[in-house]
Amino acid sequence: MNVTVAEIPLHEVYVVIAAYREGSVLATTLAPLIASGYSIVVVDDGSPDNTWSVLQNLPVYALRHPINLGQGAALQTGAEFALSQGAGFIVHFDADGQHNADDIPTLLAPLVEGKADIALGSRFLRRDDANQVPWKRRLMLRTATWVNWLFTGLRLSDAHNGFRAMTGEAARQITIRENRSAHASEILALINRRHLRFVECPTTIIYTAYSRAKGQKGISAFDILFDLLVRRFVR
Amino acid sequence: MTLIQIALLIMALAVLFYFWRLRSRSRDRFIVTLISLIAIMMILLPNWTTQLAHLLGVGRGTDLLIYLGFVAGGFLCILFYSKDRDIEERMTQLARAVAILHAKLPTSKTNSPQEYLAEHDASLLPSPTTCSLAQDNTRPLDR
């Protein structure tokens, strides 16, 4: 019996968002998600700005880390909370508005149809999406996909695309322990280790001046590499 | 005995004293005592170090100590790094528990979890008067 995305109750889909200093754009980012009827979990990662107060007036689950821990830690907190609420599916979504809420059904489809346990968004599966990516970024991401391949055994078309969807069952098996940016690679490593079935789905990235300014600097790639390297040898 | 020998001896004894008086963990005590005794021997008998160096194919006793110092430094780096990760992990678990405990639900118009819980299920709230330590959890600072 085939089930389609249209048939699953949307409130069982938990969109988990890590927010750090996103007070100015959070309401805009959340609006289409709220309108779509998903359950939304926003984890304020100890932001010093008005992120937390913005959340108070929105129909979302809002959690707050008492101290700043990093995006990976915030996503893990959100996922644990979502699972405790009985989430059937968990979607990771960026707070800065660079992901398109309309792409969520695309990611959910292979999960609902039972073809995969986790769906990863990729900017490089459609030419139009790929052309959106500035060339410097493209070069860096290409390198990152190779590094990921080396460390995680997963060869993908995109790296550090924070847009992904997984079944609740898969989410239980993916416990993020990398608090900061290395969590993206850690998730790939866990997919490999737990033998989860994954697919890449085309997603659109909306590069705004805001998300570009907020996004990772090239230099942070070295931090990620350091975390990945050292983590292999030191427990 | 030269001045430097006296100065180094005092420092070695101070470290020994610190670990014997202020640290309770027997494993730490054992390691520090061992290292301190070797250090004291090396201070009092510099020739002993040089002979050992020659035995290992190193020119001077001082050079041998430099090499050993580097190894010890690297080892300490790894030790502190792994300790740091351990602390970060515990801190993360704590912060996560606090965040989940104080989650704001979408239906709630109130800001604090206390208000929310009071509205919905007062039994979930610990009453403030019973908030005391069930037992004395204090223990020495080191673990």
Side-chain angles (χ1 to χ4, degrees):
Chain A
M1 192 185 74
N2 282 330
V3 196
T4 63
V5 176
E7 292 165 45
I8 58 164
L10 288 180
H11 63 88
E12 280 184 18
V13 177
Y14 277 68
V15 180
V16 174
I17 298 171
Y20 181 62
R21 309 219 284 189
E22 304 282 7
S24 58
V25 290
L26 202 50
T28 320
T29 305
L30 294 176
L33 295 168
I34 294 168
S36 305
Y38 301 116
S39 293
I40 300 160
V41 179
V42 182
V43 181
D44 173 7
D45 193 16
S47 307
D49 69 346
N50 60 340
T51 300
W52 183 241
S53 61
V54 166
L55 288 171
Q56 300 310 312
N57 304 315
L58 296 169
V60 299
Y61 293 98
L63 283 70
R64 179 169 164 86
H65 282 167
I67 43 171
N68 178 250
L69 292 172
Q71 195 186 15
L75 288 174
Q76 180 60 26
T77 299
E80 278 181 25
F81 178 77
L83 289 172
S84 76
Q85 299 294 307
F89 300 92
I90 286 178
V91 178
H92 288 170
F93 199 84
D94 273 8
D96 61 9
Q98 64 166 322
H99 294 150
N100 186 347
D102 294 338
D103 284 334
I104 292 178
T106 314
L107 289 172
L108 289 174
L111 310 182
V112 176
E113 290 158 15
K115 289 177 184 157
D117 305 309
I118 179 161
L120 306 163
S122 170
R123 290 159 268 203
F124 296 107
L125 292 178
R126 282 189 303 227
R127 189 166 285 276
D128 288 348
D129 300 331
N131 288 340
Q132 290 280 310
V133 185
W135 71 268
K136 268 195 221 159
R137 203 85 251 215
R138 223 180 300 180
L139 189 72
M140 220 180 73
L141 288 165
R142 184 46 47 94
T143 318
T145 55
W146 283 81
V147 172
N148 275 339
W149 185 29
L150 193 72
F151 277 100
T152 67
L154 248 57
R155 200 174 177 186
L156 302 170
S157 63
D158 198 357
H160 297 283
N161 183 322
F163 203 0
R164 35 184 111 75
M166 61 193 96
T167 61
E169 200 40 59
R172 268 174 230 285
Q173 295 185 55
I174 294 181
T175 304
I176 303 171
R177 294 177 71 200
E178 289 289 351
N179 279 0
R180 288 167 295 276
S181 302
H183 73 272
S185 304
E186 190 191 16
I187 289 173
L188 303 185
L190 286 170
I191 290 172
N192 202 26
R193 209 175 307 152
R194 308 267 189 266
H195 303 292
L196 298 172
R197 296 168 303 154
F198 70 96
V199 283
E200 281 196 290
C201 298
T203 55
T204 317
I205 294 285
I206 309 152
Y207 279 100
T208 59
Y210 177 81
S211 74
R212 233 180 280 201
K214 192 87 216 243
Q216 285 173 20
K217 306 272 179 300
I219 195 80
S220 64
F222 291 102
D223 294 340
I224 296 172
L225 196 60
F226 178 82
D227 278 346
L228 284 176
L229 263 174
V230 177
R231 203 56 204 267
R232 297 227 116 188
F233 305 109
V234 181
R235 253 280 169 236
Chain B
M1 209 189 295
T2 60
L3 265 179
I4 186 71
Q5 279 180 315
I6 294 168
L8 288 173
L9 260 182
I10 289 170
M11 280 189 252
L13 290 174
V15 170
L16 207 56
F17 176 79
Y18 168 77
F19 270 86
W20 274 93
R21 288 302 299 272
L22 303 170
R23 307 274 302 208
S24 55
R25 209 172 175 188
S26 53
R27 196 193 67 184
D28 289 356
R29 273 191 193 175
F30 176 73
I31 294 171
V32 169
T33 308
L34 196 74
I35 293 173
S36 298
L37 289 179
I38 294 172
I40 290 168
M41 268 179 71
M42 284 177 165
I43 294 165
L44 294 177
L45 310 162
N47 289 334
W48 188 79
T49 322
T50 309
Q51 277 162 16
L52 185 70
H54 285 315
L55 209 69
L56 293 168
V58 180
R60 297 185 306 163
T62 322
D63 291 337
L64 178 68
L65 284 182
I66 290 173
Y67 301 150
L68 290 179
F70 270 110
V71 174
F75 175 73
L76 279 179
C77 272
I78 296 172
L79 195 76
F80 283 125
Y81 178 80
S82 102
K83 197 135 188 163
D84 184 61
R85 286 214 74 124
D86 184 51
I87 291 169
E88 186 181 330
E89 202 156 314
R90 291 148 171 261
M91 197 168 70
T92 301
Q93 284 165 3
L94 180 63
R96 182 164 291 144
V98 170
I100 290 175
L101 194 69
H102 289 202
K104 179 198 83 91
L105 305 188
T107 47
S108 167
K109 290 269 191 304
T110 54
N111 287 351
S112 78
Q114 280 76 18
E115 282 175 62
Y116 176 80
L117 285 172
E119 228 170 62
H120 290 80
D121 187 359
S123 66
L124 290 171
L125 272 177
S127 78
T129 47
T130 59
C131 256
S132 62
L133 277 178
Q135 62 185 72
D136 186 14
N137 282 327
T138 51
R139 54 173 187 154
L141 270 177
D142 62 303
R143 35 176 224 93

